[in-house]
Structures are given as C-alpha cells and as structure tokens.
Amino acid sequence: MCPLENPDGYALFRQLCQSNPKHMHHAARYTSAGNDLTYGTDYESLIRGEAKHHLSADVHVNLHGYPSHEWTRPLSGYVPEGFATWTIPKGFFVICRYNPGFKAKAEAMLHAAIDAVAGFDLQRQQNIQMLTRFLSTVENAGFEVAHGAVPYMINEYHKTDYPIEIITEAPDETVYGEAFRIAHESQYRVVLAIAEALRAMSH
C-alpha cells in the first residue's frame, strides 16, 4: 500500500478545503515540482517503483475520486483537452486497463467490480440519477453502461504499472455526509469483489 505520494499537494488540498469546504479540490494530483502525479516520473512517484520491485502482482486496484466541475468553466464553451468525459458527474465509474495478453483476466476483474457497484442499492440509485443528468447534457458519452447503472471503460494499455489496472472513480458530489459514506462503501465492496475474483481464479 502506498499511503501518500504527494505531501505538498495534500497539504494544499487541506488548506483549500478550509476556505471552500463544498468544492472537491484536486490539488493533490499536482506536485510542488509541477508534475501531474498520475503520469509523473519524478521523485514523488519513486515509491511506485519500489512497491512494484517488492511485490509481483497482476492486478492493481487504484481507488480514485473525480472533481469534474473543477475543470469546467460553465457556459464558456471551454473544456480542456481530454476532459470532455469528466464535464459533469456520471456516478461511480470503473476503468479497466490491461496489457496485451491479459484481456480475459482483465474482463473478469472488471465484471467483479461492476457487479459490486450494481449490487449496492444506494450507489446504484445515485448512479442512475447522475447518469440521467449526464446523458441528457453530453452528446457523446464516451463510455459504456452496465446493468443500466454502472459507467465503465476498458481498453488495452501499454503503460500500466501492473498488467491489469482497475481504477475506481467516485463522483465529486460524494465529499461529506451520507454521500461520502456511500462512496466509501462502494470502494470497499470493489476491493473485496476483486480479491474474491482473484481467489476464485487461483483454484
């Protein structure tokens, strides 16, 4: 487990939350060296290499949240390149990336994650509400929807740290209170479901 790669960004995140507690700030993604932590290779990301060196694994579960409205300027017509899919919340979202040769196992992990989200009624209801709003606003969704409630993407990807990566994205309206509890429960259920799927495949 890697608890924190970017202490400077996290400190800024906490500071911004004090001044604007209702906005999900994403400052911890960007580092004091000016890197985007997701794609960075600088010193903040060295712990990932160390973790990979000490643990040989096929599957990496990457628990995320997404602050869509932080990257959008309402009514301006401007959306940064690459962020069209994240313009407004669409519910608890699952992304699967896999290296060549791992498609079947990746699909099994993805379906385990999707079923965990779809089987949690409170998250399912929240997803349906958000998806309805999203799909009535955005012309090209750019993703698939499973069980009528769980948005997801899956693709072959050559730059993952591990052969299979499952990324969960909890929506930005789940910051405090009951909505936060629902997101936390969903993350927990996904982790357990993937662990169980891996255990079943090993027998």
Side-chain angles (χ1 to χ4, degrees), residues 113-124 147 150 189:
I114 287 172
D115 289 346
V117 178
F120 181 27
D121 286 342
L122 291 175
Q123 185 65 72
R124 181 185 176 87
H147 304 300
V150 185
R189 287 175 179 238

Side-chain angles (χ1 to χ4, degrees), residues 98-106 156 158 163-164:
Y98 62 90
N99 291 168
F102 285 87
K103 183 177 181 179
K105 190 171 186 178
E156 187 173 294
H158 295 266
I164 299 169

Side-chain angles (χ1 to χ4, degrees), residues 100-191:
F102 285 87
K103 183 177 181 179
K105 190 171 186 178
E107 288 177 340
M109 298 302 104
L110 173 65
H111 291 309
I114 287 172
D115 289 346
V117 178
F120 181 27
D121 286 342
L122 291 175
Q123 185 65 72
R124 181 185 176 87
Q125 293 169 17
Q126 185 187 77
N127 269 25
I128 290 172
Q129 291 173 355
M130 290 187 174
L131 276 170
T132 300
R133 183 175 59 201
F134 182 95
L135 295 173
S136 68
T137 306
V138 180
E139 291 183 8
N140 183 13
F143 54 82
E144 303 293 328
V145 178
H147 304 300
V150 185
Y152 73 93
M153 301 172 91
I154 180 170
N155 53 60
E156 187 173 294
Y157 203 75
H158 295 266
K159 296 182 180 180
T160 56
D161 289 330
Y162 295 89
I164 299 169
E165 185 173 44
I166 299 291
I167 304 170
T168 60
E169 295 281 5
D172 66 348
E173 294 182 359
T174 58
V175 182
Y176 301 106
E178 177 64 5
F180 178 83
R181 189 195 69 76
I182 292 171
H184 188 279
E185 176 73 17
S186 296
Q187 302 277 33
Y188 178 69
R189 287 175 179 238
V190 167
V191 170

Side-chain angles (χ1 to χ4, degrees), residues 77-97:
Y78 170 72
V79 178
E81 184 178 355
F83 291 110
T85 305
W86 308 98
T87 48
I88 60 176
K90 55 193 165 295
F92 194 98
F93 192 93
V94 182
I95 299 170
C96 177
R97 296 171 176 167

